[in-house]
């Protein structure tokens, strides 16, 4: 009941005067205790609510406010053993207490990763570090680039030639909401965030809710170490994501879309914001408002209800369900909440028909899936793979095999499972194959475990990560 009341008070200010953003601004300026208390008074909430939120996140905690650079502590960088060198090189330019950590900055394909001055880099030499920190120069060796390829009909990896023409598809369905939902139902697209829930059910449920305010929320808090598929879509295919949100709004009666993007992806935030400004300049989607909320460093915010709490300025803890977000979501309003990759598929489905999408992949896992390969592959990168493709094929034909001997891979993040090499031929890239073998496909992120890396150390890392990132509800 207390959270419901606080949620209602936060809703009074809404997204324009957002509580989380206010807390973030005060934290970044290292404001006084009195400033935080004044914020609480302005929102008519207790001091403890603001203090509880500010003390939760990596980037807003008092002990972390003096950090000037954040070194990646993600699993891919950890197994690559690149980060001790990065720390040592950065100590030549910063005091030890000025160097913090970030759970993963999406450079799993190159490692030696860190975040500085609201940008992310990979650099492992003294000269490159100096160029970044002192001379503000990014050479080609530290740019975030990687291979991109596809083994089937490309849906997520094709370029958009004409933005106005691309968005004109929405006009076809503006008065045909039921037809749009039916096409998505026929496509059998399931959520790409990990759970694999049928997306059409969310749209159908929210469309039937009677409420003056509904929301579309994009979960872009890609926290699984090893995953950078959402980063790829936001930075290289932003309009596919935005169209999916806009179209979801048209079919359900929602006029506002919120993108919750992890703070460790500053380039993604900039590129999505640029795409939104481009829509405004072109006069596209003028009946729909987009809002970016920047995450402040918390893996738990990848869970949908914790993410909603976070946007509202509450401590990001998992809500009890039911009610589900479709009935009681952001600020207690009906909300369609889905993943970046799910939204990015919507244009292709509506443009080509649900059956064409369903014809790709398997009977229960239709379409394609982005697979992130880490730096232990000879060709690390982002690959759009048809569901049902064998894991061994992905590794051999797209990753071009491993550059070092490995004994297993972790797929789907810290909770996804560790797949030994002898299981590669048994698994196919789809929800059922992984589930039947007691694994989890998740984001389809692949982190390699070298033969000489101690498994006990790897498991200790996973336990430390989950303990540090838990919201406290995993009793």
């Amino acid at each position: 009941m207390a959270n419901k009341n606080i949620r209602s008070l936060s809703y009074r200010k809404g997204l324009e005067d957002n509580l989380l953003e206010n807390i973030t601004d005060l934290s970044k300026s290292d404001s006084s205790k009195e400033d935080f208390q004044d914020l609480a008074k302005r929102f008519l909430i207790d001091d403890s609510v603001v203090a509880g939120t500010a003390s939760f996140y990596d980037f807003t905690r008092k002990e972390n406010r003096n950090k000037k650079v954040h070194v990646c502590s993600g699993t891919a960088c950890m197994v690559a053993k690149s980060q001790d060198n990065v720390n040592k090189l950065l100590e030549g330019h910063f005091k030890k207490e000025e160097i913090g950590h970030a759970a993963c900055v999406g450079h799993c394909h190159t490692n030696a990763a860190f975040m500085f001055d609201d940008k992310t880099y990979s650099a492992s030499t003294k000269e490159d570090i100096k160029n970044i920190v002192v001379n503000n120069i990014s050479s080609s060796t530290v740019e975030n680039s990687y291979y991109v390829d596809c083994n089937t009909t490309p849906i997520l990896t094709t370029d958009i030639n004409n933005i106005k023409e691309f968005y004109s598809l929405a006009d076809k369905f503006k008065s045909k909401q039921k037809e749009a939902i039916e096409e998505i139902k026929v496509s059998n697209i399931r959520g790409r965030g990990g759970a694999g829930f049928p997306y059409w059910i969310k749209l159908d449920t929210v469309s039937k809710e009677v409420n003056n305010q509904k929301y579309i929320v994009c979960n872009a808090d890609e926290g699984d170490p090893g995953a950078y598929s959402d980063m790829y879509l936001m930075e290289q295919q932003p309009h596919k994501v935005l169209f999916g949100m806009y179209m979801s709004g048209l079919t359900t009666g929602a006029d506002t879309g919120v993108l919750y993007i992890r703070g460790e992806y500053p380039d993604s935030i900039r590129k999505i914001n640029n795409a939104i400004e481009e829509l405004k300049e072109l006069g596209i989607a003028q009946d729909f408002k987009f809002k970016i909320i920047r995450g402040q460093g918390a893996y738990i915010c990848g869970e949908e209800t914790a993410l909603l709490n976070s946007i509202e300025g509450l401590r990001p803890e998992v809500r009890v369900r039911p009610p589900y977000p479709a009935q009681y979501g952001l600020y207690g309003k009906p909300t369609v909440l889905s993943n970046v990759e799910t939204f990015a598929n919507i244009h292709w489905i509506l443009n080509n028909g649900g059956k064409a999408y369903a014809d790709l992949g398997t009977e229960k896992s239709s379409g394609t899936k982005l697979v992130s390969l880490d730096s232990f592959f000879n060709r690390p990168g982002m690959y759009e793979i048809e569901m049902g493709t064998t894991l061994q094929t992905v590794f051999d034909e797209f990753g071009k095999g491993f550059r070092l001997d490995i004994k297993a891979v972790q797929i789907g993040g810290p909770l996804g499972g560790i797949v030994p090499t002898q299981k590669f031929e048994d698994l196919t890239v789809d929800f059922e194959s992984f589930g039947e073998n007691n694994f989890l496909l998740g984001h389809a992120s692949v982190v390699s475990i070298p033969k000489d890396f101690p498994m006990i150390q790897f498991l200790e890392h996973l336990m430390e990560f989950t303990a540090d990132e838990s919201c406290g509800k995993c009793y």
Side-chain angles (χ1 to χ4, degrees):
M1 182 61 71
N3 271 358
K4 284 187 176 182
N5 293 337
I6 298 165
R7 183 168 295 120
S8 297
L9 290 169
S10 179
Y11 178 62
R12 290 170 61 250
K13 302 289 186 180
L15 292 168
E16 297 308 313
D17 188 14
N18 180 258
L19 179 56
L20 175 63
E21 291 183 325
N22 276 283
I23 292 171
T24 300
D25 290 343
L26 289 178
S27 298
K28 287 190 174 180
S29 59
D30 201 17
S31 299
S32 66
K33 179 181 178 181
E34 290 71 28
D35 290 328
F36 284 92
Q37 291 173 337
D38 288 341
L39 175 63
K41 287 178 183 177
R42 187 161 69 81
F43 274 78
L44 304 179
I45 57 179
D46 193 80
D47 297 351
S48 63
V49 176
V50 173
T53 298
S55 63
F56 187 92
Y57 300 98
D58 287 343
F59 299 145
T60 60
R61 291 176 190 160
K62 188 172 180 62
E63 61 269 27
N64 291 339
R65 293 176 195 168
N66 67 327
K67 306 303 182 188
K68 294 183 177 178
V69 61
H70 295 82
V71 177
C72 180
S73 60
T75 311
C77 283
M78 188 267 295
V79 293
K81 301 178 181 178
S82 61
Q83 302 311 88
D84 286 345
N85 178 56
V86 173
N87 266 299
K88 184 179 178 181
L89 292 172
L90 288 172
E91 285 174 8
H93 302 277
F94 301 95
K95 299 175 184 177
K96 281 190 177 182
E97 59 268 24
E98 293 176 333
I99 302 175
H101 85 277
C104 181
V105 299
H107 285 241
C108 316
H109 47 90
T110 49
N111 310 131
F114 63 97
M115 184 166 64
F116 169 69
D117 195 24
D118 207 34
K119 298 181 182 68
T120 59
Y121 301 96
S122 287
S124 56
T125 68
K126 188 175 181 179
E127 182 181 1
D128 278 339
I129 294 286
K130 183 179 178 182
N131 278 337
I132 293 166
V133 175
V134 179
N135 301 328
N136 195 29
I137 298 172
S138 295
S139 69
S140 59
T141 59
V142 294
E143 288 177 1
N144 192 17
S145 58
Y146 42 86
Y147 289 99
V148 178
D149 205 347
C150 176
N151 78 334
T152 185
T153 302
I155 295 172
L156 303 169
T157 52
T158 53
D159 294 332
I160 298 172
N161 297 319
N162 186 306
I163 294 173
K164 275 197 170 184
E165 183 180 327
F166 183 80
Y167 279 87
S168 68
L169 179 65
D171 296 332
K172 178 181 175 182
F173 289 96
K174 271 191 175 180
S175 58
K176 299 178 180 179
Q177 293 92 337
K178 289 183 179 179
E179 287 88 339
I181 293 174
E182 182 62 25
E183 288 294 343
I184 292 169
K185 180 180 180 180
V186 169
S187 76
N188 193 34
I189 182 171
R190 297 165 62 182
R192 296 308 198 240
F197 188 79
Y199 183 59
W200 77 270
I201 294 178
K202 294 184 179 183
L203 294 176
D204 188 56
T205 303
V206 173
S207 70
K208 293 173 180 175
E209 289 291 314
V210 179
N211 203 300
N212 291 330
Q213 181 63 66
K214 300 178 182 181
Y215 293 103
I216 308 296
V217 175
C218 178
N219 181 348
D221 193 62
E222 181 176 54
D224 287 348
Y228 51 101
S229 52
D230 289 356
M231 181 186 71
Y232 160 74
L233 289 170
M234 288 188 286
E235 295 182 10
Q236 298 193 38
Q237 306 284 355
H239 284 293
K240 291 186 180 179
V241 180
L242 296 180
F243 178 90
M245 294 180 68
Y246 176 48
M247 197 65 235
S248 297
L250 292 179
T251 58
T252 59
D255 66 355
T256 303
V258 181
L259 296 105
Y260 187 98
I261 307 176
R262 64 195 320 254
E264 295 89 341
Y265 283 4
D267 290 325
S268 298
I269 293 171
R270 275 188 290 273
K271 290 184 180 180
I272 284 288
N273 187 63
N274 290 343
I276 293 171
E277 291 302 313
E278 193 171 14
L279 292 181
K280 292 177 181 177
E281 291 171 8
L282 294 172
I284 299 172
Q286 292 179 301
D287 51 348
F288 192 81
K289 300 185 292 289
F290 288 102
K291 169 73 175 181
I292 296 173
I293 296 289
R294 181 175 186 144
Q296 293 302 313
Y299 179 68
I300 189 62
C301 289
E303 195 283 329
E304 61 179 12
T305 60
L307 182 149
L308 293 174
N309 278 8
S310 180
I311 296 172
E312 295 163 349
L314 303 178
R315 195 172 172 89
E317 296 177 341
V318 176
R319 297 183 190 175
V320 175
R321 290 169 291 183
Y324 293 94
Q327 289 93 24
Y328 186 85
L330 182 60
Y331 297 119
K333 308 299 181 182
T335 301
V336 174
L337 198 160
S338 201
N339 162 267
V340 172
E341 188 173 338
T342 310
F343 285 119
N345 276 282
I346 301 304
H347 187 281
W348 196 94
I349 292 170
L350 295 179
N351 194 41
N352 295 276
K355 186 181 182 303
Y357 190 88
D359 287 342
L360 296 170
T362 69
E363 182 181 355
K364 294 183 178 180
S365 294
S366 59
T368 65
K369 182 73 192 76
L370 291 177
V371 179
S372 311
L373 300 186
D374 74 353
S375 66
F376 281 90
F377 288 87
N378 285 310
R379 200 173 76 154
M382 183 59 52
Y383 300 104
E384 183 176 7
I385 302 298
E386 185 169 352
M387 289 283 205
T389 303
T390 63
L391 199 60
Q392 192 72 60
T393 298
V394 177
F395 292 172
D396 292 344
E397 294 185 11
F398 291 88
K400 303 299 180 184
F402 298 92
R403 58 182 179 83
L404 295 173
D405 289 336
I406 68 158
K407 54 188 170 187
V409 296
Q410 180 193 59
I411 298 180
L415 308 178
I418 296 169
V419 182
T421 53
Q422 59 266 31
K423 292 289 290 182
F424 291 174
E425 292 185 356
D426 300 337
L427 291 171
T428 53
V429 180
D430 57 77
F431 299 110
E432 287 67 42
S433 176
F434 272 71
E436 289 165 5
N437 285 275
N438 299 311
F439 299 114
L440 183 69
L441 180 62
H443 263 69
S445 55
V446 180
V447 174
S448 307
I449 307 174
K451 271 194 173 180
D452 63 353
F453 196 94
M455 282 306 301
I456 295 298
Q457 184 182 341
F458 189 87
L459 294 174
E460 285 176 342
H461 164 80
L462 295 185
M463 294 302 103
E464 288 172 3
F465 176 85
T466 50
D468 183 56
E469 296 293 339
S470 172
C471 73
K473 288 293 184 78
C474 298
Y475 301 120

